[in-house]
Amino acid sequence: MTMRTLLAPFSWLYGLGLAIRHTLYDNRLLPSHEADIPTICVGNLAVGGTGKTPHVEYLIRLLSPRYKVAVLSRGYKRKTRGFVLADEHSSASTIGDEAMQIHSKFPNVAVAVCEDRVCGVRMLKRQVEGLQVVILDDAFQHRAIRCGYYILLTPYNQLYIDDHLLPWGRLRDLKARALKANSIIVTQCPPDAQPIDFRVIDNRLHLPTYQHLFFSQVRYTENESGAAWRPHLHDRRRDACVPSEHQKQRVLVLTGIAQPEYLMEYVRKQHPDACLMAFPDHHRFSKKDVERILYKAQCYDTILTTEKDYQRLAETAVVGQLGERLHTLPIEVQLHGDKKLDFDQEILNYVKQNLSRCAR
């Protein structure tokens, strides 16, 4: 009997607790509030690693040219509590690395963090004049707030239907909760995936007619070197590749994300000998970590990191010490094929129709 099998009874108990909680909300024994403003939730059933932040950024690019948009997240591993609206003094410590990443890239979009999503939406409405849409990052499990539109993310290589509840698997909520999603996006699809692969997944998920299925893949783009890099200057990005003069140099990938395998797969296509220095997801770099990083970096000509990691590294001496050797690889998501237009129109229609309803 394997260790994972031994954990099955604990998963059953965890699932029982979840079922009781959902029953209390479904029968209105626990309060749930609906905002009088269009709200879009981006979430998942599993713990980490499905690409929520890049998909939130996709929605920002889609909606912000047309509407006054705000983003609300929990601010995971921040050192503050309560509602915090990002400003010029914000950092990964005050609002979390993911929220800081979004704030840096979209300075004209209001970004806030709050553990209580109901309170967070109310505070955003009070403090952001003319607010029209709120995007909630990682709020799929928050029953206290009822969002108007739910987007569920599930990774290509580990669909939620193939997973198990914690601690046996990675699911933090019941599989049946996927039924509340308006759209499901299968993320991290390989570039060489064929239409038949998507049809197989479509058949396996067997979604009800009211749900829409989409597929996305990641695209890395390179920004400025670490010394000159500023998170908000993303209009300078170009197709992701280390500059040609670096092609034969030694590359170190420095990261603290949930699943660095996808990043390393991309980097090693250009640099087969690239080395990974990995830390846990959302890792807060200590003085000892910084010393280890700088010691190891002595052996490499180019150090690559992610946007999210940069937000935490910026609070240490690493950025200044590494200088122009440090590069970031921003990430974007692309929706597969013609369905991109369908997804965009679906979101735009939801916002337009619900703005009109809220105005009445």
Side-chain angles (χ1 to χ4, degrees):
M1 185 177 292
T2 66
M3 178 60 68
R4 286 176 59 85
T5 305
L6 290 172
L7 294 174
F10 298 98
S11 294
W12 184 86
L13 291 173
Y14 178 59
L16 178 62
L18 289 172
I20 294 172
R21 173 177 177 268
H22 289 307
T23 299
L24 293 176
Y25 274 110
D26 292 341
N27 289 280
R28 299 186 179 183
L29 297 175
L30 289 177
S32 183
H33 305 275
E34 183 176 3
D36 56 350
I37 186 174
T39 49
I40 302 173
C41 168
V42 179
N44 56 9
L45 298 180
V47 289
T50 57
K52 292 185 294 295
T53 302
H55 285 81
V56 168
E57 292 178 359
Y58 182 98
L59 292 173
I60 293 172
R61 294 188 184 96
L62 173 66
L63 294 171
S64 60
R66 301 169 175 85
Y67 301 102
K68 184 76 170 180
V69 177
V71 176
L72 177 65
S73 73
R74 176 177 52 165
Y76 186 62
K77 285 203 172 182
R78 61 186 170 118
K79 295 181 179 180
T80 58
R81 293 186 62 82
F83 178 85
V84 180
L85 183 63
D87 58 21
E88 66 272 16
H89 304 296
S90 296
S91 66
S93 293
T94 59
I95 62 173
D97 51 10
E98 292 168 338
M100 188 63 200
Q101 173 183 321
I102 295 172
H103 175 58
S104 301
K105 294 172 72 171
F106 304 96
N108 295 323
V109 171
V111 177
V113 293
C114 190
E115 303 89 344
D116 184 336
R117 306 306 170 90
V118 176
C119 172
V121 172
R122 289 173 178 169
M123 293 296 292
L124 277 170
K125 288 190 62 181
R126 292 176 190 172
Q127 297 190 25
V128 181
E129 185 177 357
L131 181 62
Q132 295 174 294
V133 189
V134 177
I135 303 171
L136 290 96
D137 183 5
D138 196 17
F140 208 82
Q141 284 72 40
H142 288 258
R143 295 295 305 271
I145 186 168
R146 294 195 305 273
C147 294
Y149 196 97
Y150 286 91
I151 300 172
L152 176 66
L153 307 182
T154 185
Y156 180 91
N157 289 326
Q158 194 167 18
L159 301 173
Y160 66 88
I161 58 172
D162 298 325
D163 210 340
H164 301 280
L165 285 171
L166 294 168
W168 186 11
R170 297 177 62 252
L171 296 182
R172 55 178 170 171
D173 208 343
L174 303 174
K175 296 178 185 180
R177 295 302 299 166
L179 293 173
K180 81 171 182 178
N182 299 88
S183 291
I184 294 179
I185 302 179
V186 178
T187 68
Q188 302 168 355
C189 296
D192 57 352
Q194 300 299 313
I196 183 63
D197 300 318
F198 298 137
R199 286 198 294 273
V200 169
I201 291 177
D202 192 353
N203 291 334
R204 292 196 62 218
L205 292 178
H206 195 61
L207 303 182
T209 55
Y210 65 84
Q211 289 186 320
H212 307 276
L213 180 63
F214 302 95
F215 298 87
S216 71
Q217 61 187 50
V218 299
R219 174 177 177 266
Y220 289 99
T221 57
E222 188 189 341
N223 211 319
E224 300 299 315
S225 65
W229 188 74
R230 293 295 182 270
H232 60 279
L233 299 180
H234 278 241
D235 55 333
R236 296 184 183 180
R237 63 175 63 172
R238 52 191 180 272
D239 285 344
C241 63
V242 177
S244 57
E245 63 268 23
H246 290 193
Q247 291 296 323
K248 295 183 180 180
Q249 296 192 9
R250 295 162 296 178
V251 175
L252 173 67
V253 177
L254 170 61
T255 186
I257 57 178
Q259 296 181 359
E261 298 84 9
Y262 299 99
L263 174 60
M264 289 306 298
E265 181 181 357
Y266 166 76
V267 173
R268 283 177 175 154
K269 287 179 181 178
Q270 302 179 59
H271 307 277
D273 298 327
C275 180
L276 172 65
M277 188 175 188
F279 291 87
D281 196 18
H282 300 281
H283 181 72
R284 185 70 59 185
F285 298 103
S286 66
K287 185 177 180 180
K288 184 174 290 188
D289 293 330
V290 170
E291 292 173 355
R292 286 179 53 211
I293 291 168
L294 294 176
Y295 178 80
K296 185 156 188 168
Q298 295 178 96
C299 304
Y300 295 89
D301 306 293
T302 299
I303 293 87
L304 299 179
T305 192
T306 67
E307 292 175 297
K308 187 172 82 168
D309 292 306
Y310 184 89
Q311 309 307 323
R312 285 172 280 116
L313 288 170
E315 298 180 333
T316 72
V318 168
V319 173
Q321 292 285 338
L322 294 181
E324 294 185 358
R325 289 189 295 152
L326 179 63
H327 292 255
T328 59
L329 284 174
I331 188 175
E332 291 182 357
V333 294
Q334 294 178 318
L335 292 183
H336 181 265
D338 296 336
K339 281 209 164 188
K340 175 189 184 312
L341 298 178
D342 296 336
F343 177 80
D344 291 358
Q345 199 58 53
E346 172 83 7
I347 297 299
L348 293 172
N349 286 343
Y350 160 73
V351 174
K352 181 179 179 179
Q353 293 169 6
N354 283 270
L355 271 178
S356 300
R357 179 181 61 83
C358 293
R360 291 197 295 268

